[in-house]
Amino acid sequence: MSSPQPQQQLQGVTEPSFARYREIMPVLSDSTHKGQGGRVCVLGGSSEYTGAPYFSGMSALRLGADLSHIICAEDAATAIKSYSPDLIVHPLIRTRTIEQLELTATDDKSRAAVKGVVDKIHAKVKDELTGILERVHVLVIGPGLSRDETMQQTAKQAIQKARSLDMPVVIDADGLFLIQNEPELIQGYSRAILTPNLVEFARLCKSINAEEQSGEQPAAQRLAHAFGGVVVIQKGKHDIISNGTASHAVTNTGGLKRSGGQGDLLTGMIATSLAWIVTAQRSHSKDGKGKSVDNHAHFLVACYGACTFTRRCSQLAFEKHGRAVQSSDILDEIGPMFANYVEQARPTAHWSEAING
């Protein structure tokens, strides 16, 4: 979270109450069953990048999700599985298989034959993908995704399926590269959350002609509005969160070391927070006993909480490890931070009290 914003970008932004975040936190009870704490799916993990989906999936679990699925390239699965038995890993994306098939296409006839086989592979992956997404609450796209054509195509299919299921989608890293090239994938979808850094933010603005706009509104708010009401988290010295109408600023201090994987940790915590909204909504609509939460307002609050927690855990890890701190150290802080501070805080506490005690 290192991209600075001009000070004027903080004008007009607000801070949601901590009480609003507590409204989405599920109560731990012996009457709940597996999955009610949230089921999250991360799509990413290419042969080059196996750590990113691990950090995203594990941070979701450490904050409180019950199940975390990873959909990845076939060559990435063994590595990701070796990091933790807590993750459910699906090596669905056949990047190597397709590459090897395409190498055999040396003339028109063989190219046509290979295309037929590849099309069948994509269709099978789409079916398998659908089966997984129908069982989860939130989809994360991007950690370790890469710009490989097959990975990008699978991510596109996943976003389209998630939209058809009215599922929240968190998009980061090379998932944003896909949106940059095909902004219509999430145009007008208010359950999409984009988490760009400085460079990614500029590219997204250019892709949708939002960079020409000016005014007193925060840049994140203008971009969110240009996308038709998606949620944008502009990461920087302060994280600016907006849905195109309202904007919040996350200003608590994080650690001073910027190690790879911190953005992935954020996506996982956003996913769990959103999953809690989904489960609360479903419980309320089913029997009227669950919490009644409002998508529009609580989506911003969920993102605000996740950004605040990521910064606080980064700070706690930095205090212990200094320059040596890594994202694995930050991951270790999530559970204790939440248990010792957030869950012990008064319902009427301010955010600073909720994360610092």
Side-chain angles (χ1 to χ4, degrees):
M1 300 180 193
S2 58
S3 53
Q5 301 96 355
Q7 189 64 32
Q8 61 265 30
Q9 293 299 322
L10 296 181
Q11 297 178 2
V13 301
T14 60
E15 178 183 272
S17 69
F18 172 66
R20 296 301 297 274
Y21 189 88
R22 284 188 68 104
E23 289 174 1
I24 68 173
M25 289 168 52
V27 176
L28 295 177
S29 166
D30 58 8
S31 65
T32 58
H33 58 78
K34 182 173 62 178
Q36 285 185 290
R39 299 188 294 270
V40 170
C41 179
V42 180
L43 193 152
S46 59
S47 58
E48 297 92 344
Y49 306 112
T50 58
Y54 161 78
F55 283 128
S56 181
M58 282 302 299
S59 67
L61 293 175
R62 292 292 177 85
L63 190 64
D66 288 347
L67 297 170
S68 186
H69 297 257
I70 309 293
I71 296 175
C72 63
E74 53 194 338
D75 286 344
T78 300
I80 298 171
K81 288 180 179 180
S82 73
Y83 300 151
S84 173
D86 298 308
L87 299 172
I88 305 168
V89 182
H90 309 270
L92 299 188
I93 310 176
R94 286 24 176 229
T95 50
R96 173 171 44 83
T97 299
I98 291 174
E99 287 174 1
Q100 291 174 344
L101 282 169
E102 289 175 341
L103 288 174
T104 67
T106 56
D107 54 36
D108 290 344
K109 183 177 180 180
S110 60
R111 277 191 288 270
V114 166
K115 183 180 183 304
V117 175
V118 170
D119 287 345
K120 289 180 180 179
I121 292 174
H122 285 312
K124 186 173 186 295
V125 169
K126 185 176 182 179
D127 289 341
E128 294 172 330
L129 186 65
T130 296
I132 296 170
L133 293 184
E134 288 178 343
R135 307 199 307 268
V136 301
H137 299 123
V138 179
L139 173 65
V140 179
I141 296 278
L145 182 67
S146 83
R147 299 183 181 182
D148 174 85
E149 183 178 352
T150 301
M151 297 291 291
Q152 290 278 312
Q153 180 174 339
T154 307
K156 178 179 178 177
Q157 292 176 332
I159 292 172
Q160 292 170 331
K161 183 60 185 179
R163 285 198 69 161
S164 74
L165 295 170
D166 201 31
M167 178 183 296
V169 183
V170 184
I171 306 176
D172 188 41
D174 281 326
L176 295 173
F177 177 76
L178 173 62
I179 300 305
Q180 167 193 326
N181 292 318
E182 300 187 51
E184 66 278 4
L185 284 172
I186 51 100
Q187 181 69 39
Y189 189 51
S190 63
R191 295 169 80 83
I193 295 87
L194 311 182
T195 62
N197 60 25
L198 178 66
V199 174
E200 292 162 343
F201 187 86
R203 289 172 177 166
L204 287 170
C205 287
K206 185 176 181 180
S207 73
I208 202 164
N209 297 318
E211 79 280 11
E212 300 297 331
Q213 302 179 29
S214 61
E216 296 182 358
Q217 289 183 337
Q221 186 166 331
R222 297 199 300 272
L223 181 60
H225 179 76
F227 268 112
V230 307
V231 176
V232 172
I233 301 176
Q234 183 185 12
K235 297 182 291 190
K237 181 178 180 180
H238 307 297
D239 295 337
I240 309 298
I241 306 168
S242 182
N243 59 9
T245 303
S247 298
H248 300 316
V250 182
T251 60
N252 63 299
T253 303
L256 299 182
K257 173 74 179 297
R258 301 292 183 264
S259 56
Q262 292 186 49
D264 304 308
L265 296 173
L266 173 62
T267 62
M269 284 193 268
I270 294 172
T272 292
S273 299
L274 295 174
W276 290 344
I277 294 176
V278 174
T279 57
Q281 289 173 328
R282 292 183 181 178
S283 176
H284 182 74
S285 62
K286 182 179 180 180
D287 55 25
K289 296 180 180 179
K291 300 173 184 176
S292 176
V293 294
D294 171 57
N295 265 348
H296 206 62
H298 282 89
F299 265 43
L300 289 182
V301 174
C303 293
Y304 187 95
C307 289
T308 300
F309 301 152
T310 302
R311 286 169 171 265
R312 178 56 173 145
C313 291
S314 172
Q315 182 186 44
L316 290 168
F318 182 76
E319 289 172 355
K320 294 179 181 178
H321 303 282
R323 292 180 186 273
V325 72
Q326 298 298 316
S327 289
S328 54
D329 302 313
I330 301 173
L331 180 65
D332 289 341
E333 298 294 336
I334 298 173
M337 181 279 302
F338 203 80
N340 296 332
Y341 298 114
V342 179
E343 293 194 287
Q344 301 302 318
R346 297 177 297 112
T348 58
H350 186 272
W351 277 101
S352 61
E353 178 185 341
I355 62 173
N356 293 298

